[in-house]
Amino acid sequence: MAISHLYGLIGYPLGHSFSKAYFTEKFEKLGLSETHAYEQFPIPSIDEFKAILVANPNLKGLNVTIPYKQLVMPLLDEIDLAAAQIGAVNTIKIASDGYTRGYNTDYWGFRTTVEFWDKFKNFGSLKACVLGQGGAAKAIIVALEDMGFEVIKVSRQASDETVTYEQMPELMEEIGLIVNTTPLGMFPKVDDKPPIPYDLLNKQHYLYDIVYNPLETAFLKVGLEHKVGGIYAGLEMLQGQADKAWEIWQKN
């Protein structure tokens, strides 16, 4: 039986992606493996996006990862209002006529994991700190703000909206939750970690890393060495955003 429902992932590079294995297993469990498939589309330039759509007329949906969560937006026919507010797209629904609509499921993957984290009640009125300012960070910042957090945005370059890593020491007493949205520490560069003031970490701080390979990154390991209040790895966020994408793809 031919594959009538193709899904996939665009980004570059894609060696770190878990999506193909995750959705292939999902299709097998649902009894859809004869008609449904998931492929990776590593494209060096976003200019190749339209060619993927043309070459794969059975394509029903795409996930989007680094570095295209923002760059793909102008190429889509429509952007969901929530994704437009966030300013990043990580899920694309493709209609039978080729009409493309962008969504953001990183928001839901992150928010639900934080709200169900047993340490959530301990954050109190302390601020959240988001490391990195890419597409995933945009979704996480909106989610945190919707949850009532004041958010400190950290980047290598200072701006009107961000502080630098060098400025973090003076802010650590105000911070409760620190979220790493950068790829630092991802396999194979497992010794890398964001340049935060680790020596100032204590039980008031909680570390969340959206990197999922390895599950315990250098960022989280050093946090444990400094006896932080808790750590959370990124795999469940990834699974949550993938399940939300599947839900979107199944809607008429």
Side-chain angles (χ1 to χ4, degrees):
M1 190 176 294
I3 298 298
S4 58
H5 290 66
L6 179 64
Y7 301 88
L9 173 70
I10 61 169
Y12 195 83
L14 292 181
H16 64 273
S17 172
F18 101 124
S19 299
K20 181 176 171 63
Y22 186 76
F23 279 104
T24 298
E25 182 179 352
K26 178 183 283 288
F27 296 154
E28 290 174 354
K29 287 181 178 178
L30 295 174
L32 299 172
S33 56
E34 290 190 0
T35 57
H36 290 55
Y38 193 100
E39 299 295 340
Q40 294 192 161
F41 298 99
I43 52 175
S45 168
I46 194 60
D47 295 337
E48 298 180 37
F49 171 69
K50 293 289 187 180
I52 290 173
L53 301 183
V54 172
N56 298 277
N58 57 342
L59 199 56
K60 306 299 182 183
L62 286 168
N63 294 125
V64 185
T65 190
I66 296 170
Y68 299 133
K69 292 184 180 184
Q70 294 160 266
L71 294 174
V72 77
M73 295 178 73
L75 304 179
L76 303 177
D77 296 309
E78 186 179 353
I79 305 292
D80 173 70
L81 288 176
Q85 177 195 2
I86 291 166
V89 160
N90 77 316
T91 298
I92 301 169
K93 182 179 175 70
I94 305 166
S96 56
D97 62 358
Y99 190 87
T100 54
R101 189 176 194 203
Y103 298 83
N104 192 297
T105 66
D106 281 336
Y107 175 100
W108 296 106
F110 176 78
R111 179 166 181 166
T112 53
T113 53
V114 170
E115 288 180 329
F116 283 100
W117 190 5
D118 61 354
K119 309 287 187 181
F120 180 55
K121 61 183 180 295
N122 298 334
F123 301 160
S125 60
L126 292 168
K127 298 175 182 177
C129 176
V130 175
L131 312 177
Q133 296 302 303
K138 290 181 177 298
I140 286 168
I141 288 166
V142 173
L144 287 167
E145 290 175 342
D146 286 352
M147 293 161 67
F149 284 95
E150 184 176 342
V151 180
I152 297 171
K153 306 169 189 177
V154 182
S155 179
R156 293 189 181 278
Q157 302 294 326
S159 71
D160 292 340
E161 295 186 354
T162 64
V163 301
T164 65
Y165 288 95
E166 289 75 19
Q167 293 174 285
M168 280 191 68
E170 60 197 76
L171 302 170
M172 291 296 281
E173 290 186 5
E174 307 171 32
I175 295 169
L177 175 64
I178 304 175
V179 184
N180 175 40
T181 73
T182 78
L184 292 170
M186 183 179 290
F187 181 84
K189 298 181 179 180
V190 296
D191 293 327
D192 290 353
K193 58 185 183 294
I196 70 169
Y198 291 95
D199 57 321
L200 298 180
L201 290 174
N202 57 55
K203 64 182 180 180
Q204 134 181 338
H205 301 112
Y206 296 79
L207 307 187
Y208 189 117
D209 200 335
I210 72 168
V211 171
Y212 59 90
N213 182 16
L215 279 177
E216 192 172 280
T217 60
F219 170 68
L220 298 180
K221 285 180 180 177
V222 177
L224 287 175
E225 291 169 5
H226 286 82
K227 296 181 170 54
V228 295
I231 64 170
Y232 205 107
L235 184 60
E236 288 183 10
M237 173 185 166
L238 196 66
Q239 294 169 338
Q241 66 82 22
D243 287 339
K244 188 70 175 178
W246 178 242
E247 179 184 319
I248 288 169
W249 291 336
Q250 297 315 294
K251 289 182 179 178
N252 294 327

